[in-house]
Amino acid sequence: MMTSTNIDQEILSAVQSATRGPGALHEPMLGDAERRHANACIESGWISYAGSYVKQFEDTLAEITGAQHVIAVTSGTAALHVCLMMADIKHGDEVLVPAFTFVASANAIAHAGAQPHFVDIDDETLCVGPARLSTYLSEICERKGGETINRETGRKITALIVVHTFGQAADMAALMKVCEDFDITLIEDAAESLGTSIQGQHTGTFSQTAALSFNGNKIITTGGGGAVMTDDPEIAAHIRHLTTTAKQPHKWEFIHDAVGYNYRMPAINAAIGVAQLEQFDDFLARKRALAVAYENVFDSVSGVAFIHEREGTTANYWLNAITLETADASVRDVILSTLNDAGYGCRPSWRPLHLLSPFADSPRDRLPVTEDLYLRIINLPSGIKVCP
Ligand SMILES: *Cc1c(COP(=O)(O)O)cnc(C)c1O
């Protein structure tokens, strides 16, 4: 009879039998295709943003996601910054964001001159919970001339960033309704969710703008990079202008009509992205096979639940995760030691952002689900290299 005293060993053997073997939490898969396109890019002489690779990368992303416009940028954080600028954020405005996310989601809000305002997730989606959000906003806000004002701080609440956590889709229909009710601009942080859809519609296409990331640990990588998705042609044109130093087209003169940004993705990075996208369907299939294997093995480990895609959604299973029944950091950490010592890269979820010093004073709702899940979630090795 198994007892909870050897739960770390049980989890280790489950992970051993589901995966190909030891491996990092999420290592990129790079090979001949990347070498070939990177070489072609160098041969062309256009490794900065002229040349054909950036456009080819953007067009393929648009095809995959169904977004009307995709603009490649230097990082996911830059992409979020751009999304926030397009939402017309004024200095000192508040932007709602889950406390349960990677720090970049909140950093981008600070870069835009706004104040992150932390909200809770729900334990079914791991994403912002629409029911609680609606109740909370009714409690703390007053409506003034079509704007939503935080009564306590006197600041305008301008936008909500929804994160599709670990590649699991948020409940977009309900969140769109809440944002409509409160005149809040919706932005999707789809950094982790390329390949994830809701009833066939790709994440990142439910909001005015959305951000993708191609950091080395994401489902596809360009080394570092990101992209903004939007269906609005005017916003797309504005983004292209702002992210390329706001330079007016001219044969030789340098005329800039705004304080612009140097956020364009270099072609050498896009070349690697093009190579990765050639393999994207295969990556998705292999990640799904790994998720199925994890689900099967964890079925018979008591006290542990595998996080499965919600009905009506298709997850990319970017990062596989289990939740422990017991909320106890010391139990969690024994499991993390055992698995990491055996070469299986496992991590707890991010420390909730309101517990980090730069955001300790940020306004926030109660965060019971965030604080509980922080003690109970373990992310499992999920890179292509460990897939069966
Ligand atoms: C990775 C990530 C980002 C930031 O992307 P970078 O490319 O690293 O700047 C933003 N949000 C979430 C949820 C992420 O996982």
Side-chain angles (χ1 to χ4, degrees), residues 94 117 136 140-142 149-155 363-364:
E94 293 179 10
H117 183 146
Y136 178 59
I140 66 151
C141 293
E142 62 182 347
I149 309 292
N150 180 341
R151 224 183 272 119
E152 200 158 301
T153 61
R155 294 186 181 126
R364 60 182 156 96

Side-chain angles (χ1 to χ4, degrees), residues 74-78 80 101-102 104-105 163 189 191-192 212-215 217-218 224-226 318 350:
T74 46
S75 71
T77 309
L80 280 170
T101 180
F102 181 55
S105 314
V163 182
D189 180 342
E192 304 177 357
L212 296 170
S213 166
F214 313 112
N215 189 40
N217 63 341
K218 296 297 180 349
W318 168 61
W350 312 278

Side-chain angles (χ1 to χ4, degrees), residues 109-165:
I109 296 170
H111 297 165
Q115 172 77 59
H117 183 146
F118 296 117
V119 292
D120 209 6
I121 52 171
D122 70 36
D123 53 7
E124 205 195 327
T125 59
L126 305 181
C127 304
V128 174
R132 175 60 203 167
L133 179 67
S134 176
T135 308
Y136 178 59
L137 289 175
S138 304
E139 281 168 13
I140 66 151
C141 293
E142 62 182 347
R143 309 269 298 137
K144 246 196 225 157
E147 295 188 342
T148 293
I149 309 292
N150 180 341
R151 224 183 272 119
E152 200 158 301
T153 61
R155 294 186 181 126
K156 183 182 170 195
I157 298 181
T158 313
L160 163 69
I161 295 180
V162 170
V163 182
H164 299 288
T165 312

